């Protein structure tokens, strides 16, 4: 559910699209730096993950991810959403709630 606290703290998710032979599976989950370990394991085993936004280059360690990830996306999400065809619920929220 949504609370006043979750409305005040920016929260972002990772979207993972798995391309299979005949279809796709889309998975959305909270953005945590530890997912980098999963991506690296998959890449080593021939399951390649394309990081379209270069997140793990932009935030190369857990400290930079924790300190800068949310602020970066809070500032740039609208442009990123337009460039990548992502939903942008923050526009509606800001216009209707404030």
């Amino acid at each position: 559910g949504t609370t006043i606290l979750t409305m005040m703290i920016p929260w972002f998710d990772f979207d993972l699209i798995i391309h299979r032979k005949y279809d796709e599976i889309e998975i959305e989950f909270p953005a945590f730096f530890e997912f980098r370990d999963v991506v690296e394991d998959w890449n080593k085993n021939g399951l390649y993950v394309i990081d379209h936004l270069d997140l793990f280059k932009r935030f190369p360690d857990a400290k930079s991810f924790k300190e800068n990830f949310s602020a970066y996306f809070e500032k740039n999400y609208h442009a990123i959403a337009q460039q990548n065809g992502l939903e942008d619920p923050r526009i509606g929220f800001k216009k209707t709630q404030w």
Side-chain angles (χ1 to χ4, degrees):
T2 302
T3 66
I4 295 296
L5 184 59
T6 60
M7 290 169 47
M8 301 300 284
I9 298 172
W11 182 265
F12 298 95
D13 294 322
F14 284 146
D15 291 338
L16 178 66
I17 301 171
I18 301 170
H19 299 277
R20 302 186 316 170
K21 189 172 184 175
Y22 298 107
D23 62 0
E24 295 179 343
I25 298 173
E26 295 183 32
I27 302 170
E28 183 177 306
F29 52 93
F32 293 107
F33 181 78
E34 291 76 14
F35 185 64
R36 179 186 187 133
D37 296 335
V38 174
V39 170
E40 288 176 353
D41 285 346
W42 285 346
N43 286 337
K44 288 177 189 173
N45 289 292
L47 299 170
Y48 301 104
V49 176
I50 301 168
D51 179 3
H52 287 286
L53 301 178
D54 291 325
L55 298 177
F56 296 121
K57 289 180 184 174
R58 187 178 308 276
F59 310 105
D61 54 55
K63 184 177 190 250
S64 67
F65 189 92
K66 182 177 181 180
E67 292 175 356
N68 302 310
F69 179 85
S70 289
Y72 173 79
F73 277 94
E74 183 68 18
K75 179 179 178 185
N76 298 294
Y77 187 81
H78 179 68
I80 291 168
Q82 286 188 323
Q83 292 170 356
N84 294 281
L86 303 174
E87 293 179 8
D88 196 353
R90 287 164 181 78
I91 293 172
F93 173 78
K94 288 180 180 174
K95 285 183 181 175
T96 59
Q97 299 296 323
W98 300 101

